Amino acid sequence: MKTYRPPKALRPHILVACALAVIILSGLDAALQHVLNDYRFRWTSRAASGDIVVVAIDPPSIERIGVWPWPRRLHGELIRRLQQAGARDIAFDVDFSAPSDPASDAAFVAALQDAGGSVVLPSFQQPARDADNRPVTHVNKPLRVFADNAWSSLVNVPIDSDGLVRRYPRAGLLDGLVTPSMAAVLAGRFDGGTEHFLIDFGIRRASLPVIPYIDALRGEPDVLARLKDKTVIVGGTALELGDRFGTPNGAVISGPVLQAIAAESILQQRDLRLTSRWLTLGALTALFVVMMALWRRLSAGRRVALLIAVAAIAEGAGLLLQSLAPVVLDTTLFHAAIAFYLVAIALDEIDLRTLLGLIAERRFHRIAMSLGDGLVCADHQQRISLWNSAAQTIFGYSAEEIIGRPFEVLLARPEDLLFAASAPGAPLMQVPRTLEVEGRRRNGEVFPLELSLSAWQGADAVQYGAVVRDVSARKAEAARIRYLAEYDTITGLPNRTTFHARVTTAIASEREDAKLAVLIVGIDEFQEINDMLGHASGDLVLKAAGERIQNALPPESMVARLGGDKFAVALFHHDAAERRAACERIVSVFGAPLAAGPRQHLVKVSIGTATCPADGRSADELIGASHLAQGRAKADKHRTIVAFEHTFRQELEARLTLEAELTLAVERGEFELFYQPQVRLSDNAVVGAEALIRWRHPTRGLVPPGAFIPVVNTSSISDRVALWVLETACRQARIWEEAGKAIRIGVNLSPSQVLSGTLSATVRTVLSQTRLTPALLELEVTEDIILANAENALAMFREIQDLGVHMV
């Protein structure tokens, strides 16, 4: 089925008709009409008649009177002044819908009555919401007592979508009754119609007579003379009163001034109206007929001149008509049609396909030259046709050197070039979109190159393109990251992750009768080297130690650093004698001092061993077992090499279980203190007691201290248990003291209390809380605790003795 295409001669006219339809359907013609009319007001300026005077409630008047809102008696006085001056009509653009001071309202009513009904008061509608929050219209009218003695008028004005006032109603409905607008009342030309007219904003606002309220109120003779036989509008012009409106000529005017200009428009018969749409339709029809008749008879230049002349004549006629009569010639769609005809002429004279192709090509070149990646294009013979600056940076060729040369000069291996012209109807390229090859720079250097290839059908033949990236830095960074993930940065040995993976692989590939051994080698007292000489010296010791361990073992073994002072060794396909010999060689190489920088260090090691499958069938089990064995070797002063035994794990599990139970015992309060009395033999009197802790286990009963105190002293609950013992013992001694029995209580100190450095402060606090006499407390400390921290411990013990506490 063929698609219908209109004859070429009709296309410009169809284009213009469609564009006009879009403008009308979108409502854009109204906005364009506003813009055109607003400009016309600047060319049809005229002065006000002077028959309407604005008495302005301006800032000087507000300041002179000194209060706001003003009492209505002032408006009554103003009415009398205006009548005295001989004013013809008086209108107020002030809200009188709410009562104020009764006396002031009464004075205003009296002034209205004296005026004999010549005063006009405003009514207006405003949006509001009812009790159900639904939108309603609220009508504000003057109070009944005011309305009975005055004329009522409507002051509402419609506001267009752009926020400007252009139209004005002759009347409106208030509570179902037709109410004339204020401008219609003041102009004296209300015929009962409610249609809107266009305000003539060509009437210069500055030509309107404006008199300050305070000047009219004072009744100065020269001011009153200016009001004789005038129509007066009284209202607020001060900014702070907020009664402001935007107008087409760019000004913002007050409500009274807007009412005055609307009244002037009626008085001067400048209440403008738009011409009929039928006239616009007729003008458009004539334009279409003329352009269809002359389109091919006149050259493009003459058509443009004709259209511009017609537009100028139409606008001149509109200006002349508007200046002579209250008629606005609607030429919006006519000018739009002329503008679209000018566009159609331009499109008709330009080869659009060539223009679009040229624009696209220029845009492509701009984008290509600004890309951060290299971009290389080639023709159907695979000769380079485009070369951007990023490609020059990567390969080193300038555009002058490379344009026209074959693409393959950029590759280390020409066979990597995967451009291939396709047969008609087949896909353009049978290759992956992105691939990695080896590139060659201008200086001959080969480097990793990433290509993102594409092909497209050009105007004459297939064209090729490649986005090129030098991935050398990316590969180097990936290698560095991989190295950091697999190797220790201090020693250069494999790290824990790599060792674990290697052992796992070895276990999976081992035969049933083959053996694999894991050795954990720890450097004894390594922390002292870090503490005394710093981590830099410690790193040198670790590096030298790793080299010695590696040199002491056969090449097929694996050495890794697990972290801290621990090294791991994997021995493959060995027997027990070979394993023992390897351990002894490691110990022997550390018999000589280590050269680490300028210093020599005599280092001792301890080794734990575990074998597969006897001690574990996974890497985690083997490494954990050898760790346990190395811990035993480090703790045993007589053995440097310890082979794993299953009892090690059982003892560790028992200790961990005991630690967990002890933590619960603290939370549950399962500890008790027993007191062993100390008796003076001369008279059998109890002079002291030693506090002894016991654990009342929920299932095992009373547990003696020897079974759990060693674990408590090396666990995290040591401080809590020791503090509980001290507080409980002191509290019991205080009870005895209050009962008249001065019994000295003895408490054993734990290592954690001494090492914390806060023992003296703790003792002082406990004595203060329990109110125990210090002399009744005796703290017992063992020699090994003192030797572990002799200097600090002795100073702390002196502080405790100064409190009056005994130390033994």
Side-chain angles (χ1 to χ4, degrees):
M1 180 178 179
K2 293 185 177 180
T3 303
Y4 172 74
R5 299 183 67 185
K8 188 174 182 180
L10 295 179
R11 291 177 192 172
H13 314 290
I14 294 175
L15 170 65
V16 173
C18 292
L20 290 177
V22 170
I23 288 180
I24 294 172
L25 293 175
S26 64
L28 189 59
D29 57 328
L32 295 175
Q33 174 192 315
H34 289 332
V35 172
L36 184 59
N37 291 344
D38 294 348
Y39 272 104
R40 286 180 181 173
F41 286 134
R42 301 181 182 182
W43 295 94
T44 57
S45 175
R46 65 184 64 238
S49 66
D51 291 336
I52 299 176
V53 179
V54 176
V55 174
I57 302 175
D58 55 2
S61 300
I62 295 175
E63 184 178 357
R64 291 291 299 276
I65 293 175
V67 296
W68 184 263
W70 292 342
R72 286 176 179 158
R73 61 176 177 78
L74 294 181
H75 298 320
E77 293 177 15
L78 179 65
I79 292 173
R80 291 190 172 91
R81 290 291 188 189
L82 296 176
Q83 285 186 305
Q84 178 185 349
R88 184 170 57 248
D89 292 305
I90 304 169
F92 279 88
D93 191 5
V94 178
D95 187 8
F96 291 100
S97 61
S100 64
D101 176 61
S104 186
D105 285 352
F108 183 64
V109 171
L112 293 176
Q113 292 172 345
D114 292 343
S118 63
V119 178
V120 180
L121 298 182
S123 298
F124 57 93
Q125 298 173 326
Q126 63 181 11
R129 291 191 175 272
D130 60 13
D132 297 327
N133 201 31
R134 292 174 299 186
V136 296
T137 300
H138 182 68
V139 178
N140 282 19
K141 290 184 176 181
L143 295 175
R144 181 65 178 271
V145 67
F146 299 153
D148 289 342
N149 295 283
W151 290 91
S152 180
S153 66
L154 182 68
V155 294
N156 285 103
V157 290
I159 298 175
D160 290 338
S161 58
D162 58 359
L164 302 181
V165 174
R166 293 183 177 89
R167 297 172 294 121
Y168 192 90
R170 296 185 184 276
L173 291 176
L174 290 179
D175 294 338
L177 299 176
V178 176
T179 303
S181 64
M182 179 171 283
V185 172
L186 294 178
R189 297 184 184 173
F190 175 57
D191 56 6
T194 58
E195 72 277 3
H196 289 67
F197 63 89
L198 296 175
I199 302 173
D200 186 0
F201 284 104
I203 299 173
R204 295 190 296 275
R205 178 169 54 96
S207 64
L208 278 173
V210 179
I211 296 175
Y213 189 103
I214 191 65
D215 293 348
L217 185 64
R218 287 186 299 193
E220 297 179 0
D222 58 334
V223 173
L224 296 181
R226 295 169 57 189
L227 296 172
K228 183 175 176 59
D229 296 326
K230 305 294 183 183
T231 298
V232 178
I233 299 179
V234 182
T237 62
L239 284 174
E240 55 266 31
L241 300 182
D243 189 15
R244 320 294 290 178
F245 297 92
T247 61
N249 50 15
V252 178
I253 62 177
S254 62
V257 173
L258 177 64
Q259 300 293 339
I261 294 177
E264 283 280 353
S265 299
I266 299 175
L267 279 175
Q268 298 187 37
Q269 296 184 353
R270 301 297 301 167
D271 42 345
L272 306 174
R273 62 185 182 277
L274 282 172
T275 55
S276 170
R277 275 297 177 104
W278 289 106
L279 179 61
T280 303
L281 182 59
L284 288 174
T285 302
L287 179 64
F288 271 101
V289 171
V290 171
M291 294 310 298
M292 290 176 69
L294 301 178
W295 191 261
R296 291 304 175 194
R297 296 181 182 181
L298 298 179
S299 65
R302 290 184 177 183
R303 277 178 277 160
V304 169
L306 176 62
L307 288 170
I308 293 176
V310 170
I313 292 171
E315 190 57 28
L319 286 171
L320 180 61
L321 180 63
Q322 187 168 328
S323 63
L324 297 177
V327 176
V328 176
L329 182 61
D330 184 6
T331 58
T332 305
L333 293 178
F334 190 77
H335 286 310
I338 290 176
F340 287 125
Y341 264 123
L342 293 174
V343 173
I345 291 172
L347 294 176
D348 195 39
E349 292 299 310
I350 297 173
D351 185 349
L352 188 58
R353 177 177 293 182
T354 303
L355 177 62
L356 293 177
L358 183 60
I359 293 173
E361 184 178 350
R362 289 182 177 177
R363 176 180 291 180
F364 175 73
H365 275 268
R366 285 198 301 270
I367 294 173
M369 294 306 165
S370 63
L371 283 176
D373 291 330
L375 179 63
V376 183
C377 293
D379 59 18
H380 66 286
Q381 295 181 335
Q382 301 177 11
R383 294 188 176 276
I384 296 171
S385 58
L386 186 141
W387 183 264
N388 70 352
S389 57
Q392 178 175 336
T393 302
I394 294 172
F395 291 97
Y397 293 101
S398 66
E400 293 76 11
E401 293 175 311
I402 200 67
I403 296 294
R405 298 183 65 180
F407 192 94
E408 62 185 27
V409 303
L410 305 178
L411 304 177
R413 296 190 300 271
E415 60 270 21
D416 287 339
L417 181 60
L418 296 179
F419 289 141
S422 302
L428 288 176
M429 189 180 298
Q430 302 290 344
V431 296
R433 178 171 176 78
T434 301
L435 64 151
E436 190 174 303
V437 298
E438 289 186 337
R440 187 185 300 277
R441 305 191 203 274
R442 186 175 183 274
N443 60 8
E445 177 189 352
V446 176
F447 66 99
L449 178 69
E450 183 181 88
L451 298 178
S452 295
L453 303 175
S454 59
W456 62 93
Q457 184 64 49
D460 301 319
V462 175
Q463 303 291 312
Y464 301 101
V467 176
V468 296
R469 302 179 185 90
D470 181 353
V471 294
S472 303
R474 188 174 74 190
K475 283 187 164 294
E477 181 65 16
R480 189 182 73 85
I481 293 173
R482 185 167 57 251
Y483 178 83
L484 293 176
E486 297 176 356
Y487 290 87
D488 175 55
T489 56
I490 296 175
T491 63
L493 296 173
N495 61 12
R496 177 188 294 272
T497 303
T498 305
F499 184 79
H500 187 281
R502 180 69 179 87
V503 171
T504 300
T505 302
I507 293 174
S509 61
E510 285 284 0
R511 302 188 309 274
E512 287 296 327
D513 57 343
K515 288 189 177 181
L516 166 71
V518 172
L519 282 58
I520 300 297
V521 182
I523 301 176
D524 297 344
E525 300 177 354
F526 176 72
Q527 187 59 42
E528 295 181 2
I529 298 175
N530 271 342
D531 293 342
M532 291 187 299
L533 304 177
H535 287 278
S537 295
D539 291 347
L540 293 174
V541 169
L542 290 173
K543 183 175 178 60
E547 293 174 353
R548 284 204 178 178
I549 296 172
Q550 201 166 23
N551 293 334
L553 297 172
E556 64 273 12
S557 59
M558 180 182 185
V559 181
R561 181 178 174 231
L562 301 184
D565 60 2
K566 298 291 193 304
F567 293 86
V569 176
L571 299 177
F572 308 102
H573 307 295
H574 72 289
D575 55 25
E578 291 172 340
R579 181 173 71 253
R580 183 70 187 181
C583 292
E584 290 175 351
R585 283 198 302 273
I586 294 174
V587 174
S588 66
V589 297
F590 284 95
L594 278 176
R599 303 181 65 92
Q600 298 285 328
H601 301 275
L602 189 59
V603 173
K604 181 184 176 184
V605 297
S606 51
I607 304 174
T609 68
T611 61
C612 176
D615 301 328
R617 294 182 176 272
S618 69
D620 288 330
E621 291 179 353
L622 282 177
I623 295 172
S626 53
H627 262 296
L628 287 176
Q630 191 271 335
R632 287 299 181 98
K634 187 173 183 178
D636 194 333
K637 303 300 182 182
H638 305 290
R639 291 193 297 173
T640 303
I641 304 169
V642 173
F644 174 76
E645 299 176 10
H646 289 283
T647 55
F648 296 170
R649 186 170 284 126
Q650 295 169 1
E651 292 172 1
L652 177 61
E653 291 176 355
R655 177 183 175 85
L656 293 176
T657 301
L658 184 59
E659 285 185 357
E661 291 181 340
L662 287 169
T663 302
L664 290 176
V666 173
E667 301 295 336
R668 297 171 179 172
E670 295 176 355
F671 293 114
E672 298 178 6
L673 281 188
F674 286 71
Y675 301 96
Q676 180 174 314
Q678 296 173 348
V679 180
R680 189 169 54 223
L681 296 178
S682 60
D683 55 1
N684 291 329
V686 177
V687 296
E690 182 178 359
L692 303 176
I693 188 171
R694 297 292 186 271
W695 176 17
R696 192 170 295 280
H697 195 278
T699 57
R700 287 183 283 169
L702 206 60
V703 181
F708 65 89
I709 285 297
V711 177
V712 169
N713 287 341
T714 57
S715 67
S716 59
I717 64 172
S718 176
D719 289 339
R720 294 177 61 186
V721 173
L723 179 60
W724 176 83
V725 170
L726 181 62
E727 289 177 344
T728 305
C730 290
R731 196 172 293 112
Q732 181 60 53
R734 177 58 183 170
I735 293 173
W736 290 334
E737 183 181 8
E738 289 177 344
K741 300 175 182 179
I743 298 176
R744 179 182 297 172
I745 192 75
V747 178
N748 293 317
L749 294 177
S750 71
S752 63
Q753 286 177 297
V754 178
L755 294 176
S756 68
T758 60
L759 180 60
S760 58
T762 301
V763 171
R764 183 183 298 105
T765 300
V766 171
L767 290 174
S768 174
Q769 291 175 346
T770 60
R771 302 195 307 278
L772 176 66
T773 300
L776 296 180
L777 176 61
E778 183 177 85
L779 300 179
E780 301 179 11
V781 59
T782 59
E783 293 180 356
D784 57 336
I785 294 179
I786 298 177
L787 293 176
N789 197 9
E791 183 176 349
N792 294 336
L794 292 176
M796 188 165 47
F797 293 158
R798 292 192 190 97
E799 293 178 7
I800 295 174
Q801 286 178 332
D802 291 341
L803 297 175
V805 176
H806 293 273
M807 298 292 303
V808 295

